[in-house]
Amino acid sequence: MTALPRKVEAGTATDVADIVIAGGGVGKTFGGGAVVALEDASFNIPKGSFVSLVGPSGCGKSTLLRLIAGLIERSSGSLTVHGREVSGPHADVGMMFQRATLLDWRTAVENVLLPTEIHRKPTAEDRSRAVELLKMVGLKDFVFSFPSQLSGGMQQRVALARLLQTGADILLLDEPFGALDEFTRERLNLELMRIVAEVGATTLFVTHNIGEAIFLADKVMVMTPRPGRLARMVDVPFARPRRPELQQTPEFNALVAEVRDILGTH
Amino acid sequence: MTALPRKVEAGTATDVADIVIAGGGVGKTFGGGAVVALEDASFNIPKGSFVSLVGPSGCGKSTLLRLIAGLIERSSGSLTVHGREVSGPHADVGMMFQRATLLDWRTAVENVLLPTEIHRKPTAEDRSRAVELLKMVGLKDFVFSFPSQLSGGMQQRVALARLLQTGADILLLDEPFGALDEFTRERLNLELMRIVAEVGATTLFVTHNIGEAIFLADKVMVMTPRPGRLARMVDVPFARPRRPELQQTPEFNALVAEVRDILGTH
Amino acid sequence: MVVLTSSTREQDHGTRRGAGSFFHAAAFHPIVRHFAIFAVLIGAWEIGARTGTIDPLVLPAPSAIAEAMWRLFVTQRNIWWHLLVTIGEVLAGFTAGSILGIGLAIVVGLNPMVRKLLKPYVIVLEATPRIAIGPLIIAALGFGWSSKITIVMLVCFFAPFINTLSGMLSVNEGAYELFRSLRANKWQIFTKLMLLDAMPVIMAGLRLAMASALSGALVAEFISASEGMGVLLKRYTASLNMASAFGCLLTLTALGFAIYRTMEAVGNRIVFWRHAPQMDAVSRRRQAQWQRNWGA
Amino acid sequence: QDVTTVNVIMPLPRSAHFYPLIVGEALGYFEDEGVEVNLLPSSTTIPYVAFVQNQQADLAMLDPSETFAAVSAGADVKVVYEVMQNAPEGIAVSADSPVANVSELKGTTVGLVSDRDRNTLGIALGTADLTIDDVTTVVVGEAGPTLANAFKTQSVSAIAGAVPDWLALQANGMQIKMITPEEVSQTPANSFVISASRIDELREPIQGFLRAWSKAMHVAEIDPDAVAEMSKAAVPEEWENEEFGRQFLDASIPMNVSSTERAGDLQPEIWSAIQPRMVAVGALQAEVDPATFLDNSFIEFANDWDAETVKADVKAWKDANQ
Amino acid sequence: MSTVQQTGATDQATFRLFSIATTLLLHLSIFAALIAMWEGVIAAGLVNEFLLPRPSRIAAAIGKLYLFDRTIYWHFAITMYEAVAGFAIGAAVGIALAVSSALNDTFRRYVAPYAIVLNVTPGLALTPIVIAWFGFGWGSKIALAAIISFFPIFVNTLAGLTQSDADRLEMFRSLGASRFQIFWKLRIPDALPVALAGLKIGMTTALIGAVVAEFAQATEGVGVLMQRYSFSLDMAAAIATLLSMSLMGLILFSIMELVDDRVVFWRRDARMAVISRKRAAAFARENPGLQTNNKHNAGGRQ
Ligand SMILES: Nc1ncnc2c1ncn2[C@@H]1O[C@H](COP(=O)(O)OP(=O)(O)OP(=O)(O)O)[C@@H](O)[C@H]1O
Ligand SMILES: Nc1ncnc2c1ncn2[C@@H]1O[C@H](COP(=O)(O)OP(=O)(O)OP(=O)(O)O)[C@@H](O)[C@H]1O
Ligand SMILES: [Mg+2]
Ligand SMILES: [Mg+2]
């Protein structure tokens, strides 16, 4: 374990071989240095862990995800995924964007099948999985609807189904449930946890809901407002599998308060 | 007061003259009747009141807002604003959409000025108000940034500033704070309340955050899942002005639980 | 311009970063490479002409054309006036045609009823070869400038028309609803939303129009004229002086190319929001302007 | 002095091809008549007659088939002057072609300069007891290079057209042999036509125009070199290759100079003689009495000038310009 | 736009019928008014009939050409063939160049200028060369049609291919899609609306190319026919032929419009429901085991 600057705990002591995503002083500026979106972020994310990322609006969360996905180039620092420097989009990473970015000319199920199509001709199995995923996100009746026929939350759910269809072992989710009501959100949280556990995927999850962040994660990464920095990595000690009731326990609420405190003081 | 079907309370007994938005059995279907987005919604919204609208994803909240704004035509029922049947977009209604819909070719402040420009040549006053609004939503440093240079939450905040710039006395907000962190959201809630009170605007506010819904509103309209119906109109008895501390009181939490219950049983 | 650049974010990531310094070596500066390719093409052509593979009556040798151009522009100087006349017709006709095309698209695009009623006539007009109706226009407007400009106008109004219309009809739906909720009138929706949203497509249409304006001017001059490049070209072709004819043709081509490229550059400026670096500059400029006019 | 503008519609811009115009302008003959020539060089799908009738053109130069078409369509126009009496339509072959007369064309592909030369070919074939169906026709176009290419590659066995069509070819050194049958080469002339209803109104300027034209035509007989100089000044494009310019002018002069005693005089017998053959090939519905469309009332005035003065004018011009 | 009037199904049907009837009526009356005006102008002797014959004469000529002589069909077919073949070639080349340019920067940088050069060179001036190279037959007409129709297709397709939404592009890149896949699955569909506008322009341009070439040199085709009639001063027949060209253009353009409407279905609400139903049916056929039901495919419910 390398020493990490800026008080960010590196999480539990894990074998270096088990670190899937590692950032060392990652920075990103836009407009030729005019806007510092992310500064000096160092972190290690172990294999199979679920990390939530919280922070004020505009602090660089989406930017960090896009850096990890290799969609934009960092301005400074080092960033490795599976031990290899990130230099462009790479396999094994699935990303769900803040905006649903569905393709207008494809029905819901065809949108979900897209990641598969990118890699091979979809089999009957792929298809049935796609339909299953849509059912799971509660869109049983909208399998063949086009995006413009869906509500905002429904579009987000299609995008989630599409992410899960990738079968990637690193999942990056950018506010996936922003447009969902509490109940749907809760259900999908559980489903997401289940699937992630099943696959053993490493997950980075951006959310503004601190309760959700804690409920889902092994660790919560807290970011400061602009210029975006990692303020703290908070360990979540609760055992898995977790039940919704967990959220009513005092320990849980204490942790929520702690994270809120960290956010509030920065 | 007319008798309203489906158990929806019409709110406190107000003079009919004071009813700003009135729906009588409003319904909306898509795809030639294949999808029922909204069914038989009857409600009265008195002048100057703040009504929150909650309900599961896809239940027809955005549809209802678009109906009231006159953007789409209802399939059945009657719907009046200021006593006139809605038959197209009308004055006095400002709407903030679920997606930010900023114009790529305008800077943040120019986007905020758009509503003014539509009605007259912006004066120096209009301009300074636009800048003020942007400062208020925390975008002091981004007054002249283009939308593609802003984060998701920042774009939403620009859209909010734009809505407030309209000066409309009926405000329809569709999940305005979905992409904001708790602190920004809290701050903006307070600002929104302040401004709405100042102007005396009638507000319809869609959110998935039940706490937020109650904190802001005089009444919470709860909708059932598809086919979307109004399940209940819940009165919020707390006095104004409200302070954030209200949210820690047992009364508040009891109301949150009640609304969650209503949502959960449908 | 849309055509010749890719999207903003893609450029953000220098995927071509490692493309090797070989191609970027000074010797392979784009201009040098362009020139090399050009030289090879010309060389092949010259050889073809010299060896008789290419009939000089059909396509004269580059050297002969160069000589002819020297004569046209420098020693004899008889091309200048004709060139001026044609440029005048092209610019006037292009301006009129673009205004007509875009204007018609606006009227037709903003009003579905008018669209239904007018569109067939517009298409009929477009589908009727100008070379065939040109004489009718001359008959109506006489042999002077106005008929030529009208012909050019009719030749180049269609691409801006179709492109503006298709841009207007495929406007971003969310933004359209926003405007409707603001009760913007049709004209505002058009100027503040549709026009800008469709700008890349409209610019493409205008570039197409520019190219056809040249052909249009030539058609008009072929039909009837006593001055202009078409006349010169006709004279040279009729006397089988193909080197000079090609000199004229190349002049027209160069002219067209220059105008086209200028329009492309202008287009890039207009559609600045598709280009990250330009966006920063515009942002700064607008800020400065704002502060100048309305204080901080 | 009042200057009247005469709008003249012709197929080509100013060219040595119609040198009288250039010469007339160079020597100020048109000015002398109080006439200013506004040349409308046009190649349109609308016939010139239409422009004469709608008064946009005062004078049109029509080739014989156009004239016949106008007359038989009932256009009320008058031929007032025969411009090119020696520009016969005919059939040409390349000089080294084995074809020696029209009858050998049977079964081959014959090029037409334009679709209306179909008549010429039909009439020519008629003299060898052939019809147009005995050959395959292909229109090769008027554009110089296309025609040249057809000749060069001999993709057609012969080409039907009029002398001006191959003028440029000959001037460029391509050898051409005519195989036009005797009785066809006597065709009516390219002529100036005006609207019958405007004869009185236009009489004065047109008379002046035609006199200037006739005088200028005569200059070539006095001093072709002077004509060359004038045309060089007016149309430098045709003289970029001195050789070509010379050849071109030399070929144009005999076409322009009238073969009748009086310049531009009308020859009703020729207009009559061709008609039975045209009717036979269907190019004309019925024979027309030439008297109905020939109006020789302008010829007298057009020839009212003195050759000596013209000679003096040319000399004066040469002195001034050399 | 998606805010189509939604009324009861029968209401809608009546409404549609009614609106079709009114538009038709309007069309007819406008057309009739135009014709009457034209006829009047000529009857009043304001325009020479050699320039523009009166509509009744043209109508008679149309009757003669199409019903009596019937020679026009052959010429019509020839020109149509030339235009369509030229368009096909032009479209193939234009799209191929646009695609290569969009896929490969270097290619674009070196080829685009030549494409522009070819386009800004007036087609009319190219005719002699084209005829010399492609002969006196159909070949040269097709070639000219192809040359002048390829550019609008090229420019618009390229404009469409490079305008994809940045967010979607990122999504594809994050999926590890190859350039080729981004191309097929994102850029092409994104480009379709604009590319189709280009194809529409190209279609009419191809027709113009064919006719221009016919005017310059041809033995058959409507261009020749028109020349032939106007030389013989049968102006009514000439204009009738001209109108046939317009008709041809209208037919070709309408075909393209229809294609546009079918292809870019996601911009048309009504089409979307139909396609949604079709896809559901196809999906069910291909995956018999799968139980799905979809709201939007239950169109015939009420
Ligand atoms: N244009 C359309 N065509 C067909 N169906 C539509 C259309 N717009 C909305 N719907 C359907 O209407 C229903 C209600 O949609 P609406 O957008 O009002 O939901 P919502 O309550 O706003 O949901 P969310 O919270 O997810 O935004 C959904 O089932 C949706 O599929
Ligand atoms: N393309 C860009 N050009 C310029 N600045 C940008 C660009 N993209 C992002 N930024 C800036 O970078 C900062 C971080 O943006 P980012 O999208 O990462 O925020 P975020 O944490 O995801 O916020 P949110 O919660 O609101 O989505 C912001 O200040 C934004 O203005
Ligand atoms: Mg973000
Ligand atoms: Mg919604």
Side-chain angles (χ1 to χ4, degrees):
Chain A
M1 286 272 359
T2 45
L4 291 173
R6 298 199 185 279
K7 294 187 292 157
V8 175
E9 301 164 24
T12 48
T14 356
D15 202 340
V16 177
D18 272 3
I19 299 297
V20 173
I21 312 173
V26 179
K28 174 70 188 174
T29 60
F30 285 104
V35 177
V36 182
L38 191 68
E39 203 171 60
D40 196 12
S42 302
F43 55 90
N44 285 344
I45 295 175
K47 188 166 160 57
S49 66
F50 195 119
V51 177
S52 290
L53 188 57
V54 297
S57 165
C59 72
K61 303 179 296 296
S62 302
T63 304
L64 181 58
L65 255 54
R66 285 163 68 209
L67 283 170
I68 295 174
L71 294 172
I72 51 176
E73 225 173 329
R74 61 189 173 280
S75 312
S76 60
S78 88
L79 182 63
T80 62
V81 167
H82 283 312
R84 281 186 301 275
E85 281 287 330
V86 176
S87 64
H90 39 123
D92 312 326
V93 173
M95 177 149 174
M96 177 175 167
F97 295 84
Q98 201 165 356
R99 279 173 54 185
T101 62
L102 302 179
L103 303 183
D104 293 336
W105 49 86
R106 284 171 171 253
T107 58
V109 65
E110 288 164 354
N111 265 295
V112 174
L113 275 168
L114 181 72
T116 312
E117 278 179 38
I118 298 281
H119 297 115
R120 61 166 188 277
K121 207 177 145 48
T123 60
E125 221 166 295
D126 294 324
R127 283 174 214 281
S128 72
R129 179 166 166 73
V131 174
E132 281 314 312
L133 283 169
L134 280 173
K135 282 184 186 161
M136 187 201 88
V137 298
L139 293 175
K140 181 161 71 61
D141 293 347
F142 295 89
V143 172
F144 297 101
S145 297
F146 287 97
S148 66
Q149 300 174 315
L150 299 176
S151 80
M154 289 165 144
Q155 292 183 13
Q156 249 188 355
R157 287 182 269 163
V158 175
L160 176 67
R162 181 176 64 190
L163 172 73
L164 297 177
Q165 176 85 5
T166 59
D169 71 352
I170 300 178
L171 300 179
L172 309 175
L173 296 95
D174 198 350
E175 298 183 38
F177 303 141
L180 296 183
D181 61 291
E182 281 189 26
F183 291 91
T184 317
R185 182 187 275 248
E186 200 137 283
R187 205 164 53 67
L188 289 183
N189 279 345
L190 292 174
E191 291 287 352
L192 181 64
M193 276 207 286
R194 185 179 59 73
I195 292 181
V196 161
E198 227 172 76
V199 184
T202 309
T203 311
L204 201 53
F205 184 95
V206 175
T207 180
H208 286 309
N209 188 319
I210 300 174
E212 181 177 82
I214 294 173
F215 179 67
L216 290 171
D218 300 319
K219 286 174 224 301
V220 178
M221 247 157 92
V222 185
M223 292 181 73
T224 62
R226 284 186 316 110
R229 288 190 181 155
L230 293 187
R232 204 57 162 291
M233 184 84 98
V234 179
D235 267 316
V236 180
F238 310 117
R240 290 179 187 272
R242 295 178 187 161
R243 328 259 334 256
E245 293 77 49
L246 174 65
Q247 298 174 64
Q248 264 76 55
T249 63
E251 294 84 2
F252 186 88
N253 285 319
L255 205 55
V256 169
E258 189 189 327
V259 171
R260 185 170 289 134
D261 258 9
I262 302 174
L263 274 170
T265 54
H266 280 280
Chain B
M1 288 275 355
T2 44
L4 292 175
R6 300 201 184 279
K7 294 183 297 163
V8 176
E9 302 164 21
T12 49
T14 356
D15 202 342
V16 177
D18 273 1
I19 298 298
V20 173
I21 312 173
V26 178
K28 173 71 187 173
T29 59
F30 286 104
V35 176
V36 181
L38 190 68
E39 204 170 60
D40 198 10
S42 300
F43 54 91
N44 285 342
I45 297 174
K47 188 165 163 55
S49 65
F50 195 118
V51 177
S52 290
L53 189 55
V54 297
S57 165
C59 72
K61 302 180 297 297
S62 302
T63 303
L64 181 57
L65 256 54
R66 286 164 70 212
L67 284 170
I68 294 174
L71 293 172
I72 51 176
E73 224 171 325
R74 62 189 173 282
S75 312
S76 58
S78 90
L79 182 63
T80 62
V81 168
H82 282 312
R84 280 186 301 276
E85 280 288 330
V86 175
S87 62
H90 40 122
D92 311 325
V93 172
M95 177 148 176
M96 176 174 168
F97 294 85
Q98 201 164 355
R99 281 171 56 181
T101 57
L102 302 179
L103 304 182
D104 288 340
W105 48 85
R106 283 171 172 252
T107 59
V109 66
E110 288 164 353
N111 265 294
V112 175
L113 275 169
L114 180 72
T116 312
E117 276 179 41
I118 298 282
H119 297 115
R120 59 164 188 277
K121 207 175 145 48
T123 61
E125 219 166 296
D126 294 325
R127 283 172 207 281
S128 70
R129 177 167 167 72
V131 175
E132 279 314 310
L133 283 169
L134 280 172
K135 283 186 184 157
M136 187 202 87
V137 297
L139 292 177
K140 181 161 71 58
D141 295 346
F142 295 88
V143 172
F144 297 101
S145 296
F146 286 98
S148 66
Q149 301 174 318
L150 299 176
S151 80
M154 291 163 140
Q155 293 183 12
Q156 248 187 355
R157 286 182 270 162
V158 176
L160 177 66
R162 180 175 64 192
L163 171 73
L164 296 177
Q165 176 84 8
T166 58
D169 72 352
I170 301 176
L171 301 179
L172 309 175
L173 295 95
D174 199 349
E175 298 183 38
F177 304 141
L180 297 181
D181 61 291
E182 281 190 26
F183 290 92
T184 316
R185 183 189 275 249
E186 201 137 281
R187 206 165 53 68
L188 290 183
N189 278 344
L190 292 174
E191 292 287 352
L192 181 65
M193 274 207 289
R194 185 179 59 73
I195 293 180
V196 161
E198 228 172 77
V199 184
T202 310
T203 311
L204 202 51
F205 184 95
V206 175
T207 180
H208 286 308
N209 187 319
I210 299 174
E212 182 177 80
I214 293 174
F215 179 68
L216 290 170
D218 301 318
K219 288 174 221 303
V220 178
M221 246 157 93
V222 186
M223 292 180 74
T224 61
R226 284 184 315 106
R229 285 191 182 155
L230 293 188
R232 209 48 168 295
M233 185 84 100
V234 179
D235 268 315
V236 180
F238 308 118
R240 292 182 186 270
R242 296 177 187 163
R243 327 259 336 257
E245 294 77 51
L246 173 66
Q247 297 173 63
Q248 263 78 53
T249 62
E251 293 85 359
F252 187 87
N253 286 319
L255 205 53
V256 169
E258 188 188 327
V259 170
R260 185 169 289 133
D261 257 10
I262 302 175
L263 274 170
T265 53
H266 280 282
Chain C
M1 128 83 293
V2 220
V3 167
L4 303 174
T5 27
S6 29
S7 80
T8 322
R9 294 233 183 119
E10 207 182 12
Q11 289 184 332
D12 236 349
H13 199 297
T15 35
R16 265 175 275 115
R17 192 165 156 244
S21 52
F22 174 73
F23 275 108
H24 292 142
F28 286 89
H29 187 275
I31 296 193
V32 178
R33 272 178 286 167
H34 269 299
F35 195 78
I37 293 179
F38 188 68
V40 167
L41 285 178
I42 296 289
W45 178 1
E46 180 79 37
I47 291 168
R50 294 266 166 113
T51 55
T53 321
I54 302 172
D55 181 352
L57 272 185
V58 172
L59 196 59
S63 54
I65 297 176
E67 202 186 309
M69 286 181 84
W70 178 258
R71 182 162 6 88
L72 287 168
F73 280 97
V74 181
T75 52
Q76 203 168 278
R77 287 197 291 273
N78 58 332
I79 197 173
W80 292 105
W81 173 244
H82 295 285
L83 190 57
L84 214 64
V85 168
T86 302
I87 290 176
E89 288 166 6
V90 166
L91 291 185
F94 168 72
T95 312
S98 321
I99 291 173
L100 177 73
I102 296 176
L104 216 54
I106 294 170
V107 173
V108 163
L110 291 182
N111 193 329
M113 197 62 194
V114 177
R115 173 158 70 244
K116 269 193 207 143
L117 296 179
L118 204 62
K119 212 166 155 205
Y121 295 96
V122 174
I123 297 163
V124 164
L125 185 58
E126 163 63 14
T128 312
R130 243 66 64 178
I131 198 163
I133 46 172
L136 281 175
I137 290 160
I138 290 176
L141 298 176
F143 288 88
W145 273 68
S146 51
S147 61
K148 267 158 220 110
I149 290 168
T150 308
I151 291 173
V152 176
M153 174 180 92
L154 288 179
V155 166
C156 64
F157 88 99
F158 195 64
F161 172 76
I162 282 287
N163 274 21
T164 306
L165 193 59
S166 95
M168 281 176 73
L169 295 182
S170 60
V171 71
N172 180 302
E173 213 153 298
Y176 183 72
E177 277 211 335
L178 166 75
F179 273 79
R180 292 215 304 136
S181 81
L182 291 173
R183 287 189 321 119
N185 60 35
K186 287 187 165 185
W187 179 247
Q188 288 170 324
I189 293 184
F190 175 72
T191 52
K192 292 185 193 295
L193 174 63
M194 289 178 162
L195 191 65
L196 288 153
D197 208 27
M199 196 48 86
V201 187
I202 295 176
M203 290 309 298
L206 286 179
R207 283 197 305 280
L208 288 178
M210 187 65 241
S212 35
L214 266 181
S215 306
L218 220 57
V219 166
E221 287 171 359
F222 273 6
I223 294 172
S224 169
S226 33
E227 52 198 11
M229 293 299 286
V231 175
L232 207 56
L233 204 55
K234 201 161 155 182
R235 244 179 216 159
Y236 283 131
T237 331
S239 59
L240 282 177
N241 183 349
M242 296 314 285
S244 294
F246 271 88
C248 294
L249 196 57
L250 282 187
T251 305
L252 283 176
T253 304
L255 175 69
F257 194 76
I259 303 178
Y260 190 94
R261 282 298 202 205
T262 312
M263 289 190 51
E264 219 167 54
V266 171
N268 271 343
R269 303 251 134 189
I270 294 177
V271 194
F272 67 87
W273 61 92
R274 290 274 174 94
H275 310 274
Q278 277 178 31
M279 212 150 53
D280 287 326
V282 174
S283 167
R284 268 194 300 279
R285 208 169 329 121
R286 296 219 178 151
Q287 179 162 14
Q289 191 187 355
W290 181 288
Q291 278 159 356
R292 212 175 326 109
N293 293 343
W294 299 289
Chain D
Q1 189 189 0
D2 259 5
V3 177
T4 315
T5 301
V6 176
N7 299 303
V8 187
I9 188 166
M10 298 205 309
L12 286 177
R14 280 183 179 71
S15 160
H17 197 139
F18 304 111
Y19 76 85
L21 178 61
I22 292 171
V23 172
E25 284 174 333
L27 295 179
Y29 287 162
F30 292 107
E31 257 168 79
D32 294 347
E33 305 287 348
V35 162
E36 188 191 44
V37 181
N38 180 25
L39 191 67
L40 310 170
S42 309
S43 49
T44 84
T45 45
I46 290 190
Y48 288 177
V49 188
F51 293 101
V52 170
Q53 294 210 323
N54 83 348
Q55 310 198 356
Q56 281 181 347
D58 304 315
L59 201 61
M61 189 195 277
L62 301 190
D63 71 18
S65 40
E66 284 170 320
T67 312
F68 276 119
V71 168
S72 56
D76 198 10
V77 290
K78 297 284 185 203
V79 171
V80 293
Y81 191 91
E82 292 190 356
V83 191
M84 287 190 172
Q85 294 170 330
N86 301 308
E89 285 152 323
I91 319 286
V93 296
S94 175
D96 48 9
S97 162
V99 176
N101 69 56
V102 191
S103 59
E104 292 168 39
L105 293 178
K106 190 177 157 74
T108 64
T109 303
V110 180
L112 306 172
V113 168
S114 84
D115 199 66
R116 59 195 144 152
D117 293 305
R118 193 174 297 278
N119 296 342
T120 314
L121 182 63
I123 294 167
L125 290 173
T127 62
D129 287 330
L130 295 174
T131 70
I132 196 104
D133 298 325
D134 290 318
V135 297
T136 313
T137 57
V138 60
V139 176
V140 297
E142 297 177 12
T146 338
L147 194 58
N149 202 47
F151 256 107
K152 260 190 154 170
T153 58
Q154 301 205 7
S155 51
V156 288
S157 58
I159 291 177
V163 168
D165 293 325
W166 24 84
L167 210 55
L169 302 182
Q170 287 174 299
N172 270 291
M174 261 173 255
Q175 295 307 311
I176 280 162
K177 176 168 79 181
M178 300 303 296
I179 56 165
T180 323
E182 214 31 52
E183 51 270 65
V184 182
S185 49
Q186 277 284 43
T187 49
N190 282 354
S191 44
F192 281 133
V193 165
I194 68 173
S195 164
S197 62
R198 297 180 71 210
I199 281 195
D200 295 330
E201 171 197 344
L202 290 174
R203 180 165 296 278
E204 215 164 295
I206 297 290
Q207 275 178 346
F209 174 89
L210 293 176
R211 178 155 71 182
W213 186 279
S214 307
K215 283 156 81 178
M217 178 202 296
H218 183 63
V219 173
E221 294 176 286
I222 302 165
D223 187 348
D225 290 336
V227 175
E229 287 310 312
M230 291 171 199
S231 102
K232 218 179 283 185
V235 197
E237 291 84 6
E238 286 178 345
W239 294 84
E240 284 177 6
N241 176 344
E242 184 79 29
E243 180 87 3
F244 170 86
R246 196 75 223 191
Q247 298 257 12
F248 191 70
L249 181 65
D250 286 351
S252 303
I253 290 174
M255 287 195 300
N256 278 282
V257 175
S258 294
S259 56
T260 46
E261 192 182 325
R262 295 193 299 176
D265 206 356
L266 308 179
Q267 306 170 82
E269 26 350 303
I270 295 183
W271 290 94
S272 296
I274 191 82
Q275 291 192 36
R277 284 187 232 122
M278 291 187 72
V279 172
V281 298
L284 200 61
Q285 301 270 300
E287 289 186 35
V288 193
D289 179 4
T292 60
F293 61 91
L294 299 183
D295 179 347
N296 64 2
S297 63
F298 289 78
I299 300 298
E300 173 107 41
F301 191 93
N303 285 280
D304 181 19
W305 45 272
D306 170 20
E308 286 310 310
T309 0
V310 174
K311 206 178 241 170
D313 292 338
V314 175
K315 192 167 167 352
W317 185 87
K318 280 184 98 167
D319 292 344
N321 286 278
Q322 274 160 8
Chain E
M1 335 267 114
S2 72
T3 52
V4 188
Q5 172 144 1
Q6 298 281 345
T7 32
T10 40
D11 275 10
Q12 224 170 0
T14 341
F15 176 78
R16 203 174 300 145
L17 248 165
F18 179 73
S19 79
I20 289 175
T22 36
T23 355
L24 209 71
L25 214 70
L26 256 167
H27 265 303
L28 282 177
S29 44
I30 289 182
F31 188 70
L34 278 176
I35 296 287
M37 219 167 69
W38 179 356
E39 185 87 37
V41 162
I42 292 168
L46 295 176
V47 173
N48 186 291
E49 273 218 66
F50 277 121
L51 274 177
L52 200 56
R54 60 179 73 202
S56 47
R57 291 243 174 96
I58 295 174
I62 290 174
K64 182 168 160 296
L65 290 184
Y66 282 87
L67 302 176
F68 194 68
D69 288 355
R70 273 180 281 171
T71 43
I72 192 165
Y73 293 112
W74 171 242
H75 295 281
F76 196 95
I78 296 280
T79 307
M80 191 84 136
Y81 166 73
E82 290 165 354
V84 171
F87 169 74
I89 296 171
V93 175
I95 290 171
L97 282 184
V99 165
S100 323
S101 303
L103 281 177
N104 187 322
D105 254 19
T106 316
F107 184 84
R108 191 195 60 218
R109 222 163 320 126
Y110 293 102
V111 168
Y114 293 97
I116 297 169
V117 162
L118 185 59
N119 183 60
V120 295
T121 306
L124 196 58
L126 286 177
T127 359
I129 306 177
V130 172
I131 292 171
W133 280 351
F134 293 91
F136 294 116
W138 299 343
S140 50
K141 319 297 170 298
I142 294 175
L144 197 71
I147 287 174
I148 74 169
S149 70
F150 110 94
F151 197 69
I153 300 171
F154 169 73
V155 164
N156 268 31
T157 309
L158 191 50
L161 286 176
T162 45
Q163 69 168 17
S164 288
D165 179 55
D167 288 340
R168 288 179 176 162
L169 253 167
E170 279 206 338
M171 192 267 289
F172 268 86
R173 297 211 295 129
S174 80
L175 288 176
S178 63
R179 287 175 82 92
F180 186 75
Q181 285 171 322
I182 292 187
F183 201 76
W184 274 110
K185 294 183 191 293
L186 177 65
R187 293 210 147 131
I188 295 263
D190 250 356
L192 280 175
V194 185
L196 275 158
L199 286 171
K200 279 188 223 169
I201 300 173
M203 187 75 250
T204 52
T205 323
L207 177 62
I208 289 169
V211 174
V212 164
E214 282 178 2
F215 273 127
Q217 176 280 312
T219 314
E220 45 200 356
V222 282
V224 178
L225 206 59
M226 177 169 174
Q227 272 182 327
R228 194 173 292 168
Y229 286 127
S230 51
F231 283 142
S232 60
L233 280 178
D234 186 351
M235 290 315 284
I239 299 283
T241 319
L242 181 68
L243 289 179
S244 305
M245 293 180 202
S246 311
L247 174 71
M248 204 182 301
L250 202 58
I251 292 174
L252 295 175
F253 192 87
S254 306
I255 294 174
M256 291 309 299
E257 288 252 277
L258 204 72
V259 170
D260 186 15
D261 204 56
R262 298 265 135 174
V263 172
V264 193
F265 65 86
W266 62 94
R267 294 261 168 92
R268 320 268 188 287
D269 274 350
R271 296 280 313 147
M272 212 149 57
V274 176
I275 302 268
S276 169
R277 242 188 330 270
K278 271 198 202 143
R279 299 225 176 147
F283 197 88
R285 230 180 299 116
E286 282 168 30
N287 306 277
L290 275 178
Q291 271 299 310
T292 58
N293 58 325
N294 190 63
K295 285 290 174 187
H296 287 116
N297 67 17
R301 213 169 58 165
Q302 86 274 48

